[in-house]
């Protein structure tokens, strides 16, 4: 059997100081190995300061192109925004606009570049890139990320494929929706490989977003398939709408407790973990963790 490698990531690093506090605690005392930084979020400066003091934490860029505000002045990216100056949250309509409008794509490229540039200015090593709400699954966004990312040392991108074996309580509707995404996922994987950009084999957290407690995380670790699995969570020392209005139902504090749990650490066992950069290095050294297929 192929070897296993685990990447445990905290998303939304920089969104709130309670998130940043949880990342520090879970990195030092728990099983957290990586964090995805929102460079334009309200607590991003605090997150960057904390990350510089955590050499074992691998930090990547969490591009915000939905459910947030742009880094560039609103007038420069007006085609991407609602009247209130925030990104359009209707991802289907926004995606169609990006595909059809060359002007919108130019503004989108400029915003993506601005966020890459802001990350580079932190001095942190870029471990990986993903997008808020997995919007980088959209082919237009992915192409722009790959093009812009070349200038900033992009080496790894999250592949948001959650296999059925890791979606225990999914409804029939959710399973059908996941099946409908398979062609887009295969296209994404092919583009990443053509670009020579590393990616995980599978992801856990989509079906339990914001709801990963100790029991769920234990089960995920006990069900790990071979290859490279990324588990992403949203830990914080507070929960719900205090972190963000769109996360009123998220159990952030329970996700932090899961990352700190001795039972979870025991379930992890001897499975090696780290960031994307650690996995790329293991692969270079021939440690047996090779890309899988869907």
């Amino acid at each position: 059997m192929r070897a296993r490698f685990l990447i445990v990531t905290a998303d939304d690093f920089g969104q709130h100081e309670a998130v940043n506090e949880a990342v520090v605690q879970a990195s030092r005392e728990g099983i957290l190995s990586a964090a995805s930084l929102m460079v334009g979020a309200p607590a991003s400066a605090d997150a960057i300061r904390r990350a510089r003091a955590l050499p074992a934490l691998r930090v990547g860029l969490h591009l915000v192109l939905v459910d947030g505000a742009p880094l560039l002045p609103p007038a420069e990216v007006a085609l991407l925004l609602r009247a209130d100056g925030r990104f359009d949250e209707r991802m289907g309509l926004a995606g169609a606009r990006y595909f059809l409008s060359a002007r919108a794509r130019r503004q989108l490229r400029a915003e993506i570049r601005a966020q890459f540039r802001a990350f580079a200015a932190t001095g942190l090593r870029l471990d990986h890139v993903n997008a808020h709400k997995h919007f980088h699954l959209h082919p237009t966004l992915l192409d722009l990320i790959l093009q812009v990312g070349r200038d900033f040392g992009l080496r790894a991108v999250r592949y948001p494929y959650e296999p059925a074996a890791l979606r225990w309580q999914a409804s029939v509707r959710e399973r059908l929706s996941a099946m409908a995404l398979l062609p887009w996922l295969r296209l994404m994987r092919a583009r990443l490989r053509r670009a020579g950009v590393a990616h995980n084999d599978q992801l856990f957290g989509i079906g339990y977003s914001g709801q990963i407690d100790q029991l769920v995380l234990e089960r995920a670790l006990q069900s790990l398939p071979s290859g490279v699995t990324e588990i992403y969570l949203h830990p914080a020392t507070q929960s719900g709408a205090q972190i963000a209005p769109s996360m009123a139902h998220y159990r952030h504090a329970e996700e932090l407790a899961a990352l700190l749990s001795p039972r979870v650490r025991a379930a992890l066992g001897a499975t090696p973990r780290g960031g994307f950069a650690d996995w790329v290095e293991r692969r270079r050294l021939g440690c047996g963790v090779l890309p899988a297929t869907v």
Side-chain angles (χ1 to χ4, degrees), residues 79-262:
L79 294 178
L80 314 183
L81 308 179
R82 305 180 310 204
D84 63 358
R86 293 176 65 83
F87 290 112
D88 193 337
E89 294 186 12
R90 299 168 299 177
M91 295 171 67
L93 289 175
R97 185 184 312 121
Y98 302 153
F99 178 77
L100 295 170
S101 170
R103 285 185 60 208
R105 286 195 299 276
R106 285 194 293 272
Q107 293 185 8
L108 184 62
R109 179 192 293 271
E111 176 62 26
I112 290 171
R113 180 170 290 278
Q115 293 189 33
F116 266 101
R117 188 182 298 115
F119 187 97
T122 68
L124 299 169
R125 183 184 186 190
L126 181 65
D127 182 74
H128 61 272
V129 173
N130 54 54
H132 195 43
K133 297 193 174 181
H134 308 301
F135 208 4
H136 62 298
L137 180 58
H138 190 292
T140 301
L141 270 71
L142 180 62
D143 282 349
L144 292 174
I145 290 168
L146 293 176
Q147 291 167 22
V148 173
R150 290 193 195 101
D151 298 334
F152 295 92
L154 172 64
R155 297 193 302 165
V157 167
R158 173 183 290 167
Y159 178 50
Y161 166 63
E162 188 169 65
L166 294 176
R167 296 181 70 95
W168 316 298
Q169 295 184 354
S171 65
V172 173
R173 179 178 179 182
E174 288 171 335
R175 291 182 184 275
L176 290 174
S177 296
M179 290 176 63
L181 289 176
L182 283 176
W184 301 104
L185 285 162
R186 292 191 177 108
L187 176 62
M188 179 181 192
R189 185 186 62 198
R191 288 183 172 183
L192 291 174
R193 291 184 175 179
R194 279 200 304 270
V197 173
H199 62 83
N200 51 301
D201 296 324
Q202 54 268 328
L203 182 71
F204 176 76
I206 297 174
Y208 280 90
S209 187
Q211 311 296 316
I212 301 178
D213 60 18
Q214 174 187 296
L215 292 177
V216 171
L217 188 52
E218 276 187 80
R219 184 172 179 181
L221 292 172
Q222 292 162 355
S223 306
L224 282 184
S226 59
V228 180
T229 303
E230 182 184 10
I231 298 178
Y232 79 101
L233 305 92
H234 299 84
T237 56
Q238 304 173 37
S239 291
Q242 297 175 85
I243 305 300
S246 62
M247 294 181 168
H249 66 290
Y250 275 37
R251 293 151 51 190
H252 297 87
E254 288 188 40
E255 296 207 343
L256 172 59
L259 288 168
L260 298 173
S261 166

Side-chain angles (χ1 to χ4, degrees), residues 59-70:
V59 183
L61 172 60
H62 196 51
L63 286 163
V64 177
L65 301 165
V66 65
D67 188 25

Side-chain angles (χ1 to χ4, degrees), residues 1-7 199-202 221 223-230 268 270-273 278-279 282-293:
M1 291 183 64
R2 295 185 310 117
R4 293 182 175 89
F5 187 82
L6 179 64
I7 301 167
H199 62 83
N200 51 301
D201 296 324
Q202 54 268 328
L221 292 172
S223 306
L224 282 184
S226 59
V228 180
T229 303
E230 182 184 10
L268 174 63
T271 302
R273 62 186 171 88
D278 300 297
W279 158 54
R282 286 176 62 88
R283 187 173 62 174
R284 187 185 69 82
L285 295 173
C287 294
V289 183
L290 302 173
T293 58

Side-chain angles (χ1 to χ4, degrees), residues 17-41:
E17 286 193 6
V19 175
N20 301 347
E21 292 166 0
V23 167
V24 172
Q25 190 174 359
S27 175
R28 288 179 172 163
E29 305 170 26
I31 69 164
L32 188 72
S33 54
S36 297
L37 174 67
M38 292 173 151
V39 291

